[in-house]
Amino acid sequence: MDGQRELLLAKLRDCLRTGQRRPCYIGFLDESEATFCRDFLRKEPAGYLLWGGYEEAERVMAGFFPDYMAPSADSFPLTALTFKYRPVDKLGHRDFLGAFMQLGIERSVIGDILVGEGYTVAFIRQEMERYFLDNLRKIGRVGVKIAVGYEEPLPSIREYEDISGVVASDRLDCIAALLCRTSREKAARLIISGAVMVDHQEVLSVDRRLEEGDVISVRGHGKFVLDSFGPLTGKGRLTVKCRKYQ
């Protein structure tokens, strides 16, 4: 286990103890850290919830609650800020994250940043709300107006490219070959070299079986979500539908 995982594990154990007396929160966590938390907490008889401000959040906080409290999204110390600007000013995720980091804050203070046309919604730790409001007037060279909260609908966090094809089986090397548009042998070499992750965890086994909903990342090729298997073709090959993150 690397140093960052050891630190996160220590925080989890500390929050589990504190959560027996009062609510306790960690994060924001990235997808890999959230997966690590879920795996660890499956073995713990604790009341907990992962929440990032909306249902499909990628970056989330981990909340721990005593027995007398039901885990609730409403209790999380996070807030949303809406940044408005001219639609002609094409700002991106990197522009916002760069401006936020220039404030000298840690990445864990910031959740998802959802960029739309003429507006962006960012989720942050609630205790940092006033600091953001007092210190942000521009994103790059673009002037912005900031409001607390957001209105539906939220901007989409991702756009996708649909990918479909037929493979010999649901093994990782078969799926990776389809996703990377390469041979099964080259896909196997990518896996063995540590270039492939499934649900944000490194996988070195070429015969790992995949399931619908798995998220596959391949270094140098992108990130994908596996939507569905089936039906079988007349020759017994497996139809696969996936999406690539843009």
Side-chain angles (χ1 to χ4, degrees):
M1 185 182 296
D2 61 29
Q4 288 184 331
R5 284 292 182 267
E6 290 179 353
L7 179 60
L8 178 55
L9 184 58
K11 289 181 179 179
L12 282 170
R13 288 172 171 160
D14 184 57
C15 234
L16 281 169
R17 289 190 293 269
T18 302
Q20 295 174 3
R21 304 187 305 273
R22 58 178 173 80
C24 181
Y25 305 91
I26 301 175
F28 290 89
L29 307 171
D30 64 26
E31 292 175 290
S32 177
E33 292 168 333
T35 298
F36 179 85
C37 287
R38 289 188 183 95
D39 290 343
F40 174 76
L41 293 170
R42 286 192 186 103
K43 309 166 190 173
E44 299 292 332
Y48 73 93
L49 179 65
L50 301 181
W51 178 248
Y54 67 107
E55 286 295 339
E56 298 179 354
E58 292 187 353
R59 293 181 62 83
V60 296
M61 296 176 68
F64 301 84
F65 303 86
D67 292 341
Y68 62 84
M69 285 184 66
S72 170
D74 293 336
S75 69
F76 276 67
L78 58 82
T79 190
L81 298 178
T82 297
F83 298 79
K84 294 186 177 181
Y85 44 93
R86 300 181 307 169
V88 69
D89 293 317
K90 301 296 185 181
L91 294 174
H93 184 280
R94 185 177 298 178
D95 299 312
F96 281 92
L97 183 58
F100 295 167
M101 299 303 287
Q102 285 178 8
L103 296 179
I105 60 178
E106 295 182 359
R107 183 67 177 94
S108 61
V109 168
I110 307 163
D112 283 353
I113 302 171
L114 308 179
V115 180
E117 187 171 337
Y119 75 111
T120 290
V121 177
F123 293 88
I124 64 168
R125 295 276 303 207
Q126 194 166 40
E127 65 266 26
M128 299 300 294
E129 176 185 303
R130 177 46 53 187
Y131 187 70
F132 273 69
L133 293 174
D134 289 345
N135 290 279
L136 273 175
R137 296 291 180 271
K138 291 184 176 182
I139 302 298
R141 298 181 179 180
V142 177
V144 294
K145 293 182 178 180
I146 311 175
V148 177
Y150 68 87
E151 296 179 359
E152 298 282 3
L154 283 168
S156 173
I157 191 170
R158 297 288 185 193
E159 292 183 354
Y160 300 93
E161 173 192 350
D162 290 330
I163 297 175
S164 62
V166 292
V167 294
S169 77
D170 58 1
R171 285 172 40 132
L172 180 56
D173 56 346
C174 297
I175 303 298
L178 170 66
L179 299 177
C180 299
R181 296 181 173 88
T182 188
S183 69
R184 191 166 166 180
E185 291 74 20
K186 289 183 179 178
R189 288 199 291 271
L190 285 169
I191 296 166
I192 294 169
S193 72
V196 179
M197 301 179 74
V198 178
D199 290 337
H200 320 294
Q201 301 293 323
E202 183 182 275
V203 176
L204 300 176
S205 175
V206 298
D207 60 358
R208 162 75 177 268
R209 300 290 177 172
L210 298 181
E211 299 178 356
E212 294 178 355
D214 282 345
V215 176
I216 303 106
S217 300
V218 185
R219 189 181 310 129
H221 293 271
K223 181 178 174 182
F224 312 82
V225 59
L226 179 54
D227 286 325
S228 66
F229 287 124
L232 292 176
T233 68
K235 295 183 178 180
R237 291 171 63 83
L238 186 62
T239 303
V240 182
K241 290 185 179 180
C242 309
R243 287 171 292 156
K244 181 178 182 179
Y245 288 67
Q246 296 298 290

mmCIF file of all heavy atoms in Angstrom, residues 199 211-216 224-228:
data_model
loop_
_atom_site.group_PDB
_atom_site.id
_atom_site.type_symbol
_atom_site.label_atom_id
_atom_site.label_comp_id
_atom_site.label_asym_id
_atom_site.label_seq_id
_atom_site.Cartn_x
_atom_site.Cartn_y
_atom_site.Cartn_z
ATOM 1 N N ASP A 199 -12.566 -0.164 -12.577
ATOM 2 C CA ASP A 199 -13.170 0.486 -11.413
ATOM 3 C C ASP A 199 -12.106 1.127 -10.540
ATOM 4 O O ASP A 199 -12.105 1.010 -9.309
ATOM 5 C CB ASP A 199 -14.015 -0.509 -10.611
ATOM 6 C CG ASP A 199 -15.280 -0.909 -11.352
ATOM 7 O OD1 ASP A 199 -15.717 -0.139 -12.235
ATOM 8 O OD2 ASP A 199 -15.826 -1.987 -11.075
ATOM 9 N N GLU A 211 -17.985 -6.962 -15.874
ATOM 10 C CA GLU A 211 -19.428 -6.916 -15.677
ATOM 11 C C GLU A 211 -19.977 -5.607 -16.208
ATOM 12 O O GLU A 211 -19.244 -4.606 -16.334
ATOM 13 C CB GLU A 211 -19.769 -7.049 -14.190
ATOM 14 C CG GLU A 211 -19.308 -8.349 -13.552
ATOM 15 C CD GLU A 211 -19.628 -8.398 -12.066
ATOM 16 O OE1 GLU A 211 -20.131 -7.386 -11.534
ATOM 17 O OE2 GLU A 211 -19.385 -9.453 -11.441
ATOM 18 N N GLU A 212 -21.255 -5.597 -16.505
ATOM 19 C CA GLU A 212 -21.907 -4.363 -16.930
ATOM 20 C C GLU A 212 -21.753 -3.303 -15.840
ATOM 21 O O GLU A 212 -21.915 -3.583 -14.661
ATOM 22 C CB GLU A 212 -23.386 -4.621 -17.223
ATOM 23 C CG GLU A 212 -23.602 -5.527 -18.425
ATOM 24 C CD GLU A 212 -25.064 -5.818 -18.676
ATOM 25 O OE1 GLU A 212 -25.912 -5.384 -17.860
ATOM 26 O OE2 GLU A 212 -25.380 -6.487 -19.688
ATOM 27 N N GLY A 213 -21.417 -2.084 -16.260
ATOM 28 C CA GLY A 213 -21.207 -0.993 -15.320
ATOM 29 C C GLY A 213 -19.759 -0.772 -14.943
ATOM 30 O O GLY A 213 -19.430 0.259 -14.341
ATOM 31 N N ASP A 214 -18.874 -1.709 -15.275
ATOM 32 C CA ASP A 214 -17.455 -1.537 -14.970
ATOM 33 C C ASP A 214 -16.895 -0.329 -15.722
ATOM 34 O O ASP A 214 -17.272 -0.062 -16.870
ATOM 35 C CB ASP A 214 -16.655 -2.780 -15.362
ATOM 36 C CG ASP A 214 -16.796 -3.910 -14.367
ATOM 37 O OD1 ASP A 214 -17.278 -3.657 -13.245
ATOM 38 O OD2 ASP A 214 -16.436 -5.052 -14.705
ATOM 39 N N VAL A 215 -15.993 0.375 -15.065
ATOM 40 C CA VAL A 215 -15.281 1.500 -15.682
ATOM 41 C C VAL A 215 -13.858 1.051 -15.967
ATOM 42 O O VAL A 215 -13.151 0.593 -15.059
ATOM 43 C CB VAL A 215 -15.285 2.734 -14.762
ATOM 44 C CG1 VAL A 215 -14.456 3.863 -15.381
ATOM 45 C CG2 VAL A 215 -16.713 3.206 -14.507
ATOM 46 N N ILE A 216 -13.446 1.151 -17.213
ATOM 47 C CA ILE A 216 -12.124 0.692 -17.641
ATOM 48 C C ILE A 216 -11.309 1.896 -18.104
ATOM 49 O O ILE A 216 -11.765 2.675 -18.933
ATOM 50 C CB ILE A 216 -12.221 -0.344 -18.792
ATOM 51 C CG1 ILE A 216 -13.089 -1.534 -18.366
ATOM 52 C CG2 ILE A 216 -10.847 -0.824 -19.203
ATOM 53 C CD1 ILE A 216 -14.443 -1.559 -19.004
ATOM 54 N N PHE A 224 -13.424 4.394 -20.211
ATOM 55 C CA PHE A 224 -14.612 3.835 -20.827
ATOM 56 C C PHE A 224 -15.546 3.282 -19.756
ATOM 57 O O PHE A 224 -15.101 2.885 -18.672
ATOM 58 C CB PHE A 224 -14.235 2.692 -21.783
ATOM 59 C CG PHE A 224 -13.123 3.011 -22.744
ATOM 60 C CD1 PHE A 224 -11.786 2.916 -22.352
ATOM 61 C CD2 PHE A 224 -13.403 3.413 -24.039
ATOM 62 C CE1 PHE A 224 -10.759 3.206 -23.229
ATOM 63 C CE2 PHE A 224 -12.384 3.713 -24.932
ATOM 64 C CZ PHE A 224 -11.058 3.604 -24.527
ATOM 65 N N VAL A 225 -16.828 3.218 -20.064
ATOM 66 C CA VAL A 225 -17.795 2.534 -19.207
ATOM 67 C C VAL A 225 -18.459 1.437 -20.022
ATOM 68 O O VAL A 225 -18.838 1.634 -21.180
ATOM 69 C CB VAL A 225 -18.835 3.516 -18.619
ATOM 70 C CG1 VAL A 225 -19.605 4.239 -19.711
ATOM 71 C CG2 VAL A 225 -19.790 2.788 -17.680
ATOM 72 N N LEU A 226 -18.556 0.261 -19.425
ATOM 73 C CA LEU A 226 -19.128 -0.915 -20.087
ATOM 74 C C LEU A 226 -20.628 -0.932 -19.806
ATOM 75 O O LEU A 226 -21.057 -1.137 -18.675
ATOM 76 C CB LEU A 226 -18.452 -2.175 -19.554
ATOM 77 C CG LEU A 226 -18.912 -3.528 -20.079
ATOM 78 C CD1 LEU A 226 -18.852 -3.579 -21.590
ATOM 79 C CD2 LEU A 226 -18.058 -4.635 -19.476
ATOM 80 N N ASP A 227 -21.426 -0.717 -20.835
ATOM 81 C CA ASP A 227 -22.873 -0.589 -20.654
ATOM 82 C C ASP A 227 -23.611 -1.916 -20.673
ATOM 83 O O ASP A 227 -24.454 -2.179 -19.821
ATOM 84 C CB ASP A 227 -23.456 0.336 -21.730
ATOM 85 C CG ASP A 227 -23.134 1.794 -21.476
ATOM 86 O OD1 ASP A 227 -23.096 2.185 -20.297
ATOM 87 O OD2 ASP A 227 -22.904 2.531 -22.438
ATOM 88 N N SER A 228 -23.326 -2.759 -21.650
ATOM 89 C CA SER A 228 -24.116 -3.996 -21.741
ATOM 90 C C SER A 228 -23.392 -5.071 -22.527
ATOM 91 O O SER A 228 -22.573 -4.786 -23.406
ATOM 92 C CB SER A 228 -25.465 -3.718 -22.403
ATOM 93 O OG SER A 228 -25.311 -3.337 -23.762
#
